[in-house]
Amino acid sequence: MSFRINTNVASLQSREYLRQTSEAQSKTIGRVTSGVRILASGDDAAGLSIANTLRSDQAVLSQGVRNANDGLSSLQTIDGGINNISKLLDRARTLATQSSSGTFNGSRTVLNSEFQSVLSEIDRQAQSIGLNTSGTFAKSLSVFIGGGRSSGGTTAITNGSVGVDLSNSTVDSKSLGLKGVQAQGVASIDIGSGSASTNVSAIVGNATNVGSLATAGFTDLYFRGPGFGDDNRVKVSVNLSGITDIDTAVTNINTAIDSAGTGVSTAATAFKNAGVRAVAVTDSSGKKSLGFTSSGTAFQVEAGDRLSNALLGNVTSTSDPTGKTLTNTVTGGSAAAAAATTFGASGAGTVTVRFQGAGLASPVDISLTVASGTTTATALSSLTSAIAANSSLQAAGITATTATGGSALVFTSNRGERFEVQASGDLNNRLGLGSFRSSSGASGTFDYNAVTGASGTFAASAETLEFSVGGGAAISLAVTPTAASIGGATTALNAAFAGNATLAAAGLVATNDGTNITITSSNGSKFRLNSVGATNVFGFNSATATGVADAAEAQAGDTDINFFAAGGSQQTSLLSFSAIRGGGDDQTITVLANDTNGAEHSLAVVLRNDSTVRNAGTVDEAIDAINTALQQSNDTTLQKIVAVKDKANAAGAEGIRFISTLQNFRVSVGTNEGGTGVGSQGSVVTAATTGTGSASDITTQAAAERAVNALADAVNSLGNAQAVVGRGQNQFTFAVNLAQSQLTNLAASESRIRDADLAEEAASLTKAQILLQAGISALAQANSAPQQVLALLRG
């Protein structure tokens, strides 16, 4: 046993134990007084991190519950508004039912006044609850509540959100089918007043108007819409017998509409289902005009003759009931040969005259077989007869109005639509439509993507060749072979092609087999070739034919707008159109729309003009391609959209407008190298409501009967909308219940980690107090131990 005085080990150990006991007592006192187990991160770093996360989740859920309750309150308000609108529909049905009775002898005007007030109140209340068209809540509403988890590609944010889509649950009168679309004639022209110079009686009795009729006693209107567009448009022939005023005109037109809808074609069925009706529209000043309504289908109406054009308000003046002319002409580029002139040996073969435009969905070719001795007069007579016998051209209203030897040919459309006339195979230009060759000279196909010459001289002298790509304007090239050989001629042609942007884009390339030159389009572009003059340097002329420089046909007679799209429908802006000529200028048009559940539907249509598909040589062909694709998509949403032809003014170019009753559908316009096809390339055009539509009324028994049917459908539509709102309320209620459960369990989890066990801490505090007292006593003993060494020194 040893004794030391410099180092008191026992004292040091006592002090250390005393320090630990003191710190333990301080922590225990802190836990007892604060109620939490973790006073500092060092107490339990991992536990503190978990507890803080749990506390943050509780904060999110607490606010999420408030969000859901706010959403629930909004839906309850909407639900109450819909209940009110349901009562308004009950009143409207009562009024309509009363007016539809054949024994009612009161004033239907009085009934209709209240009926219109009810419709206005429906619109007001729908707006108040935010479920009018484009209203505050007429969209997909997403409420973030929290408590979500990531799984299977679904994020925690998405899983923690509750959504209700009210975008297709609007309850204003238009959404309920009580207001529809309406195509209306020129409102400023009063055709309903008996004193007006332009009244129906004056229009029907006007000699010029009557003289324009295709069938005596009947005036024609044409309708285009989903399923009955472009060349499938529906002709409505209206019997003029008994028409004395606007009311009798409306009656006869509706009779004709009913008759047109009984056809066996799919277009007739689609037209019938569209429910188009003629109505008399009275403006605020009392002027009456002719209108056409539909409760759920967008459409366009077009005049087919000057009388129907006048009924649509397109009169010469406010004092002249003559309908504005619908004549549009194409005049040949040069005069036809004299009547007795023969086609000659070089011209014998097949002359093809091609018509495009004027509503034709594809080119119409008239083929004339001519012999060397066939005279110009004989050929012109055959051409006139063939045009008159062609059903497609007659449906388009195209006739040959001047077909006389020695004069330029004149072709006329009596429907006011633009068209083109071109020819091939007439190597000596006897018809005055140009001397472009067919694929085999005086016979063969109208145009081609490859053509082979014959018997070329390949002399080192200039020759003029003209090319028309895809029916476009003639491009003239004066070409001289680089050497007096087939190789020199081929080289010169390729250099000329490369130097012309249009021909280079068409991919024209000249090759030879040592005997003849072949010109081919590498991208499938269709073209025509014309050798000007009597030379045959490159082999594309004959020894006796004399080609002439092409002179463009003249288009004349632009008419005022004679077609009207239904107001109140969704319409895009007018999109310009220029014909796609080259095989490398494909353009994609994508139509996009949302269905009643908010799901997006889309369809891509490729416009092209090459050896595979030719659907964009004219605006009519492009419209037909788009509408055919929409109808053949078997997509009931996209089938509600139709492309129609329109123009901004009389002299304006014909373009494309998309119309539908679908809200905010879009058209994405693709680009191509030539910038041809549909305009506004590279943009997405969104449709918007254009003009005002029609409203149900009960001023007549027939109108009241239609209103009764419309109201029955409106009740169903309202019920569907209310079901969506009710489903949303249930979703929010269930979400709140789950969130409250999560909150409770999160709080319990955090408590188990963060909160102190006071029973345990009380025991620890007692232990610490005893240890502290003992430690202090022991330290005192340890500190006094060195003094005992003095006893040894005293001995």
Side-chain angles (χ1 to χ4, degrees), residues 358-382:
L360 296 171
S362 59
V364 173
D365 291 341
I366 300 295
S367 297
L368 305 175
T369 301
V370 295
S372 60
T374 302
T375 64
T376 302
T378 300
L380 292 177
S381 176
S382 297

Side-chain angles (χ1 to χ4, degrees), residues 68-113:
N69 284 326
D70 290 344
L72 186 58
S73 297
S74 295
L75 291 181
Q76 288 170 343
T77 301
I78 292 172
D79 193 29
I82 292 178
N83 286 331
N84 273 345
I85 292 175
S86 178
K87 295 175 183 177
L88 288 168
L89 287 180
D90 293 344
R91 180 55 183 165
R93 294 188 77 180
T94 299
L95 294 169
T97 302
Q98 185 178 7
S99 180
S100 66
S101 173
T103 59
F104 178 75
N105 56 10
S107 173
R108 286 190 170 90
T109 302
V110 174
L111 291 181
N112 188 60
S113 177

Side-chain angles (χ1 to χ4, degrees), residues 365-507:
D365 291 341
I366 300 295
S367 297
L368 305 175
T369 301
V370 295
S372 60
T374 302
T375 64
T376 302
T378 300
L380 292 177
S381 176
S382 297
L383 176 62
T384 301
S385 298
I387 291 172
N390 187 280
S391 59
S392 296
L393 295 181
Q394 291 308 298
I398 295 176
T399 58
T401 48
T402 301
T404 306
S407 300
L409 297 185
V410 179
F411 304 92
T412 301
S413 165
N414 293 317
R415 296 255 303 282
E417 298 183 62
R418 296 182 182 181
F419 64 104
E420 302 172 358
V421 184
Q422 298 175 333
S424 71
D426 185 10
L427 301 186
N428 295 301
N429 195 31
R430 293 294 187 254
L431 302 182
L433 298 176
S435 55
F436 282 98
R437 61 174 284 154
S438 297
S439 59
S440 299
S443 61
T445 58
F446 177 83
D447 53 8
Y448 24 83
N449 54 26
V451 61
T452 300
S455 304
T457 65
F458 310 121
S461 59
E463 182 174 271
T464 298
L465 299 177
E466 291 182 335
F467 294 85
S468 170
V469 178
I475 298 169
S476 179
L477 299 177
V479 187
T480 303
T482 57
S485 65
I486 190 170
T490 303
T491 299
L493 281 173
N494 284 327
F497 295 154
N500 182 276
T502 301
L503 299 182

Side-chain angles (χ1 to χ4, degrees), residues 340-359:
T341 304
T342 61
F343 277 75
S346 62
T350 302
V351 176
T352 302
V353 180
R354 171 166 288 184
F355 295 84
Q356 290 179 278

